[in-house]
Amino acid sequence: MKKIKLAFYSASGCSGCMLSFFDLEEFFISSERFSIVWAPMFTNSKLEDLEKIDKIDVTFIEGSIRLSEHEEIVKILREKSEKVVALGTCAVFGGVPGLSNFYSTEEILSEVFGSDKEVPKPRLLLDGKYELTLPEFRDEMRRVEEVIDVDHFVPGCPPSEDQLLKIIDFNFEEKWIVEKSSVCNVCPRKVEEIKVSSVKRAFERDDGRCFLIQGILCFGPLTPGNCEATCVKVNVPCRGCYGAFPNVRDFGAKVVDLLSSIAEKNIAEELSRKYPNLARVIYAYTLPSAIINKRVRKR
Amino acid sequence: MKIGLYICHCGRNIADVVDIKNLIGYFKDKVNVVRDHLFMCSEPAWEMIRSDVTNKLVDRVVIAACSPYNHEKFFRSALETAGLSKYLLEIANIREQCSWVHGKNKREATEKAKRLIEAAISKVKTLKPLDDLRFEVERSVLVIGGGIAGMTASLDLAKMGFKVYLVEKEPSVGGKLIKFDKIFPLNDCASCVVSSLMAEVANNPMIELITYAEVEEVDGSFGNFNVKVRKKQTYVDWEKCIGCGACTTVCPPKAWKPNEFDEGLSKRAAMYIVSPQAVPKKAVHDPELCVNCGKKKLGTRRFLRGGKEYLTPCEKACPTKAIDRSKSWNPEGELLNFNVGAIIVATGYKVMEKETFKEYAPHSPNVITALQFERILSPTGPTGGKVLRLSDGKKPKAISFISCVGSRDVRYHTYCSKVCCLYMLKQARLVKEREPEIDVYIHVIDVRAPGKDLEEYYIEARRMGIGVIRGKVGGIEELPNGRLRILGFDADLGMPVEVEVDLVVLATAIELPEDSKELARKIGVAVDPSGFLKEDHPKLRPVESTLSGIFLAGCCQGPKDVSETVAQAKAAAASVASLLSKEEIKVEPFIAKVNEEACSGCGICENVCPFNAIKVNEVAVVDERSCKGCGICASCPAKAIDIQGYSAESIIAEIDALVG
């Protein structure tokens, strides 16, 4: 039997999504069906090894794209792969690292390294054998889809077991591997009608009713419910780690859209007073996919 | 996709400001056909568009002209007759939104016109052919309000063969007009005008008269509204009641209150019949006022020591046993449910109370509103039509009328109540006719008597010796002897004047009653800044409300006299008939459409829909009849809902073209 050739690559990600594969017994049980041909995370895989491979069946890319290196590698992977899967919210929507798009490159570097001068520069290694070059730090964090064509999207932070089980035979067809119904459908705090009449922060007193009714921002209605409402079950409002539903272009704008339709009165001022960093809350996982981000950057 | 762009000069309206030649040059290569015309709304231009579509030169049409509000339907017909879906049309408004507002900036106006047209082109590319929604029509009408407007409209519609449900909140129809003695300009008897209508309304087999009832809920849309009407509890068996009035005379004085029909000038008992001319002439019991004679509460029986049943005076008085206090009446009344194709709102007006105007000594019983004075003049009123002061029953030596009380006043209403000048003249003339020795003064800002016979009516009033003093009244002082001193101004003399009179009549402003506003909120009809119900277009659609299928008649739309009210009621009836006489109605397909694949079933849409037009059962389902296409549900968290013709795709394409 011909084995399915798999590749795994982690760009600006935490490797969590990839590891969730290895948390799955089914992955190991069926391991005779596939071979991992390139995965720098688990095997000794170098760029030159990748260049030698001529065909990959399925490539999983995790994390968003910031460095020139990420860009180069995903482009090579795309060329060689039959199917490219964006694995996890970072790859699909930009994820938490995407919040860096609120800052310019200079701001980020000076925050991390103190001042511009101390930014690491390319230099020769002592023995002169290799030349170490640092990849270029691009101006913005991008989704995988913005760099290469992506065939399948598997959002989640990390993706849930049921999602991975759907793709474990590596022969799936659906473009989006994600639950159709929202977190609200699996939420224990179910209500008949949601109306928002005031605004509260999550650390204020929680009376056990639906968070939105209490005025606490909860993104349950906007987020696919693969998670089985794990956060709400431990009394934490949904932060939308699965990103938006496939049709939605901009998660944060959709939050505003939703709030404006379920708010009983004008809560805009209260909202911006209680959440001074509202944009960072509503775009916590999806900033690179937002419309606003692009416009600001152009200027 | 072949796009045709048609640019209108609108005579010189657009062409003087926007450089049309420049536009044609700019768009020549961007679309398949560009044409301009001096008047795009003319027949030759219409034919030009139509033949381009017929000859397959274009299959999407962009028209750069005036607001779509003006001629969209006209342009659509050109597409439709040429065999193309009429909704593959987009109008760029380069008149109201461009040439009219940027007249001084010709270059920028042309640039803006380009952007507007580009947006329309981008949008038209995203449009999909749509068909009208077709609905069956319910051939019946709900008329809300049984005043002169409601009765006239009901009778007209009934005569045309439509089933009419006439709902009146009082126990009797007749409205305000039945309270009047005579009406201008002919001084003919109001009762004679309106009584016959009341009888006709009650006896017409096509009219179902539902009095003492209020509209509770209206669902659905034009062609098929579902109406819920609550018939209030009368506590009297109307089947048995013969309207003899025996019960109304036996209530003890403890159970009396100011009579609404006499504007509070007389008293009525807990058992009452609204007026001597009431239709239907049936008694009503007011449980709030009732003192439960003999401690016999509603729904209980009481036996005397001998075993004989105790009957309250009203029960005893009733010759037909229509009053049965031992019956446990349901205080909720009865909920009626029926479907109608259209609704006419004719809920009428109210006049402001004198208490609002502290400067006019409202505490004095000799200061009354004009509607109260109307009752004094009426033969069915508290004085039987004699001109008397109610405080002491004496004939006044002098009467003053004060106009514009609350109207034309920035503190209350800026509009003119329109009928006050003439009804003051009428009342003054009636006083003079009956008691020529009474001095009558009218204080006005100016006399407004436009129209047929009305100026003549005013001249005649002056000839009769009625003093018309031009000038605003600053205040009224009550003198120790009960007389009233009017502190006014005479603009003709240019000096302050003081007049001492025995009775003051205030022509308080006409306004929309609170419960009519509540009704408007319930059925979704807009209220305009003056506080009256808003017509769809002041000139072209004066009887249509802002919601299709709901029409307005009478003073709920604005102050007007009897002839205007009747004219509007007849117009509303004719408009309803013209729409309901068809087998089916066509409705624009701009309603919510659910993408079932994407729907997450979260229920937010059901939660936010103001028209109950969307229900979630696994996936969301839109009720096409009820959906008004407002777009609130398009806030769908899964973006599974779009408004047909205004999809997110279309709107984003437009925005991209505008800002790109």
Side-chain angles (χ1 to χ4, degrees), chain B residues 365-512:
Chain B
N366 297 326
V367 175
I368 58 175
T369 65
L371 204 49
Q372 287 175 322
F373 194 57
E374 204 70 59
R375 291 306 300 148
I376 292 179
L377 293 173
S378 166
T380 63
T383 62
K386 291 201 180 76
V387 185
L388 299 175
R389 301 209 303 195
L390 283 175
S391 60
D392 52 8
K394 285 189 188 140
K395 195 165 86 180
K397 292 195 183 71
I399 302 178
S400 258
F401 291 86
I402 297 173
S403 81
C404 301
V405 180
S407 359
R408 303 174 70 188
D409 185 334
V410 285
R411 291 172 301 167
Y412 308 103
H413 300 299
T414 47
Y415 56 80
C416 165
S417 289
K418 201 172 184 180
V419 289
C420 317
C421 286
L422 282 152
Y423 73 60
M424 283 191 304
L425 289 168
K426 173 196 76 183
Q427 292 180 342
R429 277 176 58 161
L430 293 179
V431 171
K432 272 285 181 200
E433 276 168 18
R434 287 174 204 179
E435 311 285 352
E437 68 282 8
I438 297 181
D439 291 330
V440 182
Y441 304 99
I442 302 182
H443 297 266
V444 290
I445 301 178
D446 44 37
V447 172
R448 297 191 164 178
K452 209 159 77 169
D453 294 339
L454 299 179
E455 179 67 16
E456 293 87 333
Y457 192 83
Y458 165 56
I459 299 293
E460 181 58 30
R462 302 223 45 168
R463 208 171 279 144
M464 288 170 79
I466 294 161
V468 178
I469 302 168
R470 209 158 60 82
K472 186 96 177 148
V473 173
I476 297 174
E477 273 177 6
E478 193 181 20
L479 302 177
N481 61 4
R483 296 197 89 197
L484 297 152
R485 180 185 288 148
I486 293 171
L487 311 169
F489 187 80
D490 189 328
D492 295 324
L493 297 175
M495 52 165 44
V497 285
E498 287 185 9
V499 187
E500 265 184 47
V501 294
D502 303 294
L503 186 64
V504 171
V505 180
L506 304 178
T508 51
I510 285 178
E511 56 185 15
L512 191 70

Side-chain angles (χ1 to χ4, degrees), chain A residues 183 212 217-223 237-240 251 255 281-284:
Chain A
V183 174
L212 276 171
L217 277 189
C218 173
F219 305 143
L222 301 121
T223 311
C238 174
R239 282 286 161 260
F251 187 87
V255 173
V281 181
I282 61 181
Y283 286 114

